[in-house]
Structure formats: C-alpha cells, structure tokens
Amino acid sequence: MDFLNPATWADALKMKAERPDAVPIAGGTDVMVELNFHRRRPPALLDLTRIGELSTWDLDGDTLRLGAGVSYARIMAELGEQLPGLAMAARTVGSPQIRNRGTVGGNLGSASPAGDAHPPLLAAGARVELASVRGTRLVPVDEFFTGPKRSVLAPDELIAAVLVRPAAGPEQFSKIGTRNAMVIAVSSFALALHPDRRAVGTGIGSAAPTPRRAAEAELFAAGQLPWDTLGALDPDVVRRFGELVAAAAAPIDDVRGTAAYRRHALAVMARRTLTWAWRDLCG
Amino acid sequence: MRVTCTVNGVDRTADDVWEGESLLYVLRERLGLPGSKNACEQGECGSCTVYLDGTAVCACLVAAGQAAGRDVRTVEGLAPEGGLDPVQRAFLQAGAVQCGFCTPGLIVSVHDLLAHNPQPTDPEIREALAGNLCRCTGYEKIMDAVRLAAADGAGAA
Ligand SMILES: Cc1cc2nc3c(=O)[nH]c(=O)nc-3n(C[C@H](O)[C@H](O)[C@H](O)COP(=O)(O)OP(=O)(O)OC[C@H]3O[C@@H](n4cnc5c(N)ncnc54)[C@H](O)[C@@H]3O)c2cc1C
Ligand code: FES
Ligand code: FES
C-alpha cells in the first residue's frame, strides 16, 4: 500500500488523477474502521489532512463555502449561527473524539443513507463542489447520492467543499436512536424555513436507499403556512405535512428498526420540527 | 514506511510501519507505549484516546502517516516521570478504577474536558465522556473522580 500525502490541493488532484484507486482519508473515522477490520485493502491512501484550505470556511456574498475537511466540532463551535441545522446534526455525531476528527467531506464521501450531515444539507439546498484536474463542478446535494453508499463522485474527483446559503430562517434537526451519543440514526429529519422565499426545505435520513428530500411536503407547507400573519399553525396542516414526509420515505426493516416504525417516527419528527421552527420564526 | 512524530515531547521514529496501520498500533507495538488501550479499533470505546496536536482523538482511527510530524500526547505524558496528573490522582482517590482498561482513555478525555471547562456540570461531564465506555464501574465513581479533579483545580493546572 502507498501512503500519499499531498501538501496542496493541486497536488492532491494530480495524485487522484494518476491514482484513481487511491482512497482519500480525512478524519479517518470511516476509512480506518474498514482498514482495522480488513474490510478494505486499497492500493493507496491519499491523506487530505495536510491541505490547510480544505479545513477552512468563508463567506462570499450570500454563499458560505464550507471546506470538506472542517470537523463537526468546529461546525458546532463556529457555525451555529449560519448553519444551525448542520450544527445541530453535528452535535449528534458519535462522541467528542469522533466529532473532533470526522468531517462533512467524509460523510459525503461515505454517502451512507444514515449520514447525519445529509438531511440538513438537503433542507438548506446545499451544493457539493467536486474537483479534479479536469475542472470543478457543482452538484446539488439532492443529486449527489445515487444509492446506498454511492454517489456521483468520479474516480478522479475529490470533494472540495459544500456551498450553502447561511440560514435565512429557523432550521431544525431531529434524530431517532437508542442513546443520545454514539448512535447511527434509526431515522432522522431536517427542516429549514426560508421566510425570504416563503419556501420550506426538508431532508430525510436513514429511511430510503439515499438521503432524500420530501418535495411534495415542502410544496404543501410552503403553500399552507401563514407567512403573512405569522399566526398559529393549523393542526391539520401540521398533520398533513407529517404524512407527506412519511410518504416520501422508502424505508426498510433492519436491525435498527422496522420500515413501519421509521415512517411513524418520520411523521412525528416532521410535525415536531415544523412546530419548533415555526415557533422560532414567530419569536 | 518510516513515521516520525513528537510523542510526549520527544521526537520518536518508527520503522517498517504498514501504510494502513493506526497511530494506536504504532504507539503500542512500535514505540513501547502501551498506556493507550486497544479494545474496539472502531472508535466506539475511547480507550485509545490521545491528544493529536492538542485535540482529543481516537488513536485507532488515525492513520500512522497522518500523525507524521505532528505532536502526540498520550496518558504516559500527562505528568512528569514518576508523578501523577491531578486527574490521575482523583481517579485513584475516588476509586474510579476497577479493571483499569478504560482508565487511560478516560484520563485523557477528562484532562481535555477540564482544560476547556474547569468546572463542568454533571450533564457536561456525561456529554464529554459519551465516547468512553467502562464495563466495570457503572460510571458513578468516574463522575466522582471528575468532580474531585475539578474541585482540586485540575483544569487550571
Ligand atoms: C464511533 C463512530 C461513531 C460515528 N457516529 C456517526 C454519527 O453519529 N453520524 C454520522 O453521520 N456518522 C457517524 N460516524 C461515521 C463517520 O464519523 C462520518 O461518516 C464522518 O463524517 C466521516 O468523516 P471522516 O472525515 O472521518 O471520513 P473518512 O473516514 O476520512 O472518509 C470517509 C469516506 O469519504 C471519502 N472522503 C473523505 N474526504 C473526502 C474528500 N474530500 N473527497 C472525496 N472523498 C473523501 C473517503 O475516501 C472515505 O470513502 C461514526 C463513526 C464512528 C467510528
Ligand atoms: S480502541 Fe479506539 S476507540 Fe476503542
Ligand atoms: S474499570 Fe474496567 S472497563 Fe472501566
């Protein structure tokens, strides 16, 4: 096995082009588990932790560019205002040690349907910046995932960053698991209210082959919420929103939960997050 | 490959390191520092917790090459040779050690917690130690030890 340790992004892209079989490693919290348990024996590792720019974020106009290598711990500490949904999700990841190392780039790279960064990125309408020596492309995050642990990432590409508009309204994240720490979601749900556009964003985790939006639920809520009056939520609207979110999922039975339970939990999480977010919006 | 890094303030070099090897393996098997324990090798138990450039991480999830040129501090390096860090002393005083397998990782995690938050509340302690499993103590004595270390001003040290 080779250990490639580029010092610059340009070097990293060049190495990935020359060695498409090299496995990128950032926080290592997914890659090292596979290596330690001999589930994977790649011909090369491509260490991304020496590329300083990958672990920075900055605001350019109304777009926040979050480097793929920013850890969950830093998202919690530094981005709670701008990306509240993602920061909430980050707080539920693993343990302090995992959050100190694990990155959003790694979460996207693994493309697990249960990855906790995905629902808030879907709800916020984020785009993923993919780069290779051929150039750079932006992929809406709802087009990034193609199947369980599969994505549109090409063999010569690396994930550079996530581009997202800082929240213009309240965001919420909810996750079901057996414990408050160290838990892979049984299912999860993220919600974003975009009062400036009178739109609603959603993200469903761990209840379909990929993380996905609940598009019909988004349109329904956007059309029914009392944006003008900021009045009380109609219980029928809240209930219907929950039903539409549950209907958008395609869950399976597995060791963590049944499909029926996941649908039920999604409807509950959808109702709760909408209620919380609306309360936040109305102050 | 050869990996050189600073461990507990001393430059150390390990040879014949396999590229897919973990920092934990390098520390225990190549550098003779068995303080950090290997229990799960999947980030679940925290018994391998060390500082990497001042950040608490699971050594089992750091690739050896990622530690090259970096600063590693293990449980062996928290106090000068022969001495005990206030957190270590508090664990002994509170009876927070039974089989001891979880202890080195917990000591580093508590050391890190108190460095950032010298007077943590009980929920903050539980949250900070959520990644460290203990099969023996039931955690109550560990909570006692953290409160004791905080009262003794361990974080300020
Ligand atoms: C104990 C434990 C608890 C966990 N708990 C959670 C949890 O609660 N929620 C959750 O979502 N996840 C959890 N995880 C999984 C893991 O921590 C996350 O998926 C994390 O985001 C991975 O990030 P990383 O930087 O460590 O990725 P790595 O392990 O370094 O990489 C993961 C994958 O992404 C690829 N990759 C990494 N960076 C890039 C890049 N820039 N470009 C292209 N490909 C890249 C790698 O090749 C690999 O395939 C847990 C893991 C452990 C060990
Ligand atoms: S051995 Fe590293 S976390 Fe368990
Ligand atoms: S004292 Fe035995 S595992 Fe904690």
Side-chain angles (χ1 to χ4, degrees):
Chain A
M1 190 188 293
D2 294 321
F3 193 86
L4 310 172
N5 44 7
T8 67
W9 184 238
D11 283 349
L13 293 179
K14 213 166 110 226
M15 287 176 185
K16 190 65 174 129
E18 283 159 11
R19 299 286 305 268
D21 57 359
V23 171
I25 177 166
T29 59
D30 281 321
V31 171
M32 287 305 292
V33 175
E34 297 193 308
L35 289 176
N36 289 345
F37 285 83
H38 314 287
R39 287 189 202 128
R40 200 167 185 184
R41 194 50 68 88
L45 288 177
L46 178 66
D47 179 23
L48 300 177
T49 57
R50 286 173 206 277
I51 301 162
E53 65 205 81
L54 214 55
S55 49
T56 62
W57 62 267
D58 53 72
L59 200 56
D60 180 9
D62 67 353
T63 302
L64 195 147
R65 188 174 182 281
L66 176 70
V70 179
S71 67
Y72 294 111
R74 284 190 47 212
I75 290 169
M76 289 159 58
E78 299 168 29
L79 291 169
E81 289 281 313
Q82 286 107 320
L83 307 177
L86 184 63
M88 275 184 214
R91 267 179 225 121
T92 75
V93 171
S95 64
Q97 292 95 321
I98 300 299
R99 296 194 289 270
N100 280 342
R101 260 332 250 175
T103 65
V104 170
N107 214 224
L108 288 166
S110 291
S112 159
D116 285 321
H118 312 325
L121 292 179
L122 285 164
R127 288 167 299 163
V128 187
E129 183 184 319
L130 303 178
S132 69
V133 290
R134 295 176 287 123
T136 295
R137 59 179 176 136
L138 291 178
V139 179
V141 71
D142 60 348
E143 293 169 19
F144 177 78
F145 307 102
T146 55
K149 309 205 169 178
R150 287 203 313 274
S151 72
V152 300
L153 188 70
D156 67 340
E157 276 181 323
L158 293 172
I159 302 164
V162 168
L163 303 188
V164 56
R165 286 197 336 158
E171 297 184 348
Q172 285 289 343
F173 175 76
S174 184
K175 170 175 169 181
I176 307 275
T178 45
R179 228 189 114 184
N180 217 6
M182 235 23 143
V183 149
I184 304 176
V186 175
S187 58
S188 62
F189 183 70
L191 177 97
L193 296 181
H194 309 296
D196 52 336
R197 294 183 279 130
R198 299 197 166 189
V200 174
T202 59
I204 292 174
S206 237
T210 66
R212 59 164 71 166
R213 289 167 49 202
E216 216 180 309
E218 291 176 2
L219 283 176
F220 169 77
Q224 297 292 322
L225 289 172
W227 300 105
D228 283 321
T229 61
L230 293 183
L233 284 177
D234 178 347
D236 286 339
V237 169
V238 178
R239 204 196 52 246
R240 183 70 190 138
F241 179 69
E243 287 168 4
L244 288 171
V245 167
I252 54 166
D253 294 339
D254 70 10
V255 288
R256 281 177 279 137
T258 61
Y261 175 73
R262 287 187 156 101
R263 270 194 213 283
H264 170 75
L266 272 173
V268 173
M269 289 189 288
R271 293 199 300 263
R272 285 186 187 162
T273 52
L274 181 60
T275 307
W276 294 332
W278 192 253
R279 202 173 47 207
D280 289 349
L281 184 68
C282 302
Chain B
M1 66 178 174
R2 164 175 282 200
V3 174
T4 300
C5 55
T6 308
V7 183
N8 300 328
V10 179
D11 285 342
R12 301 290 305 267
T13 296
D15 278 313
D16 302 321
V17 174
W18 175 58
E19 288 72 13
E21 204 164 292
S22 71
L23 170 62
L24 179 62
Y25 192 90
V26 171
L27 291 170
R28 291 178 53 84
E29 309 297 335
R30 304 201 187 273
L31 299 178
L33 291 167
S36 313
K37 297 291 177 248
N38 177 359
C40 73
E41 284 196 298
Q42 51 181 321
E44 296 275 348
C45 76
S47 62
C48 65
T49 305
V50 301
Y51 284 112
L52 181 68
D53 281 350
T55 302
V57 304
C58 296
C60 69
L61 300 182
V62 176
Q66 293 185 302
R70 308 238 184 239
D71 186 59
V72 180
R73 199 168 170 208
T74 71
V75 69
E76 288 98 336
L78 294 185
E81 187 75 44
L84 289 180
D85 180 85
V87 176
Q88 292 170 311
R89 212 173 306 123
F91 267 67
L92 286 177
Q93 272 174 26
V97 181
Q98 287 190 28
C99 82
F101 207 84
C102 67
T103 310
L106 271 160
I107 299 274
V108 176
S109 289
V110 173
H111 190 273
D112 182 48
L113 164 66
L114 296 181
H116 293 102
N117 181 0
Q119 298 296 328
T121 62
D122 280 6
E124 285 169 345
I125 299 172
R126 289 185 187 280
E127 178 64 34
L129 302 185
N132 292 81
L133 298 184
C134 173
R135 302 306 302 269
C136 303
T137 64
Y139 299 102
E140 285 310 318
K141 302 278 184 190
I142 291 169
M143 293 295 292
D144 289 346
V146 183
R147 292 185 203 111
L148 187 61
D152 287 351

